[in-house]
Amino acid sequence: MPQEDRLRFVNWVNDTAHVLRFSTKAQSPDKLVVDHDLPFQEGVLESQIRFILRFFHQGLPLLIALRGGAGLLR
């Protein structure tokens, strides 16, 4: 996937997903990096951890593919 398309996709996700931060690295342009902030004001709930793990395993790859980022997936 061309770098311009990667950056366009990353910017779209950052504009629409408020709890995740997406980026690519110049040293590893074939990798998509995702950071997630997990709130823990009263402690981390087991349900939060399950939700995030499920999202990263199932939901995120589908979101990437549907929004034209399939070239980022392996």
Side-chain angles (χ1 to χ4, degrees):
M1 173 179 268
Q3 182 68 6
E4 183 178 320
D5 292 340
R6 290 173 193 268
L7 294 175
R8 186 177 304 116
F9 175 77
V10 166
N11 288 332
W12 172 81
V13 174
N14 285 335
D15 287 344
T16 58
H18 301 287
V19 296
L20 302 172
R21 183 175 61 97
F22 289 77
S23 61
T24 59
K25 304 288 184 193
Q27 318 81 299
S28 305
D30 61 332
K31 293 183 181 177
L32 177 65
V33 178
V34 185
D35 294 319
H36 171 68
D37 293 326
L38 188 61
F40 60 93
Q41 292 169 334
E42 298 295 323
V44 177
L45 301 176
E46 181 181 340
S47 61
Q48 290 174 304
I49 295 171
R50 275 190 269 118
F51 172 80
I52 292 304
L53 291 175
R54 190 176 306 118
F55 176 75
F56 275 102
H57 181 70
Q58 298 171 348
L60 187 59
L62 179 61
L63 173 69
I64 290 170
L66 290 175
R67 294 300 303 183
L72 296 169
L73 301 173
R74 290 188 208 193

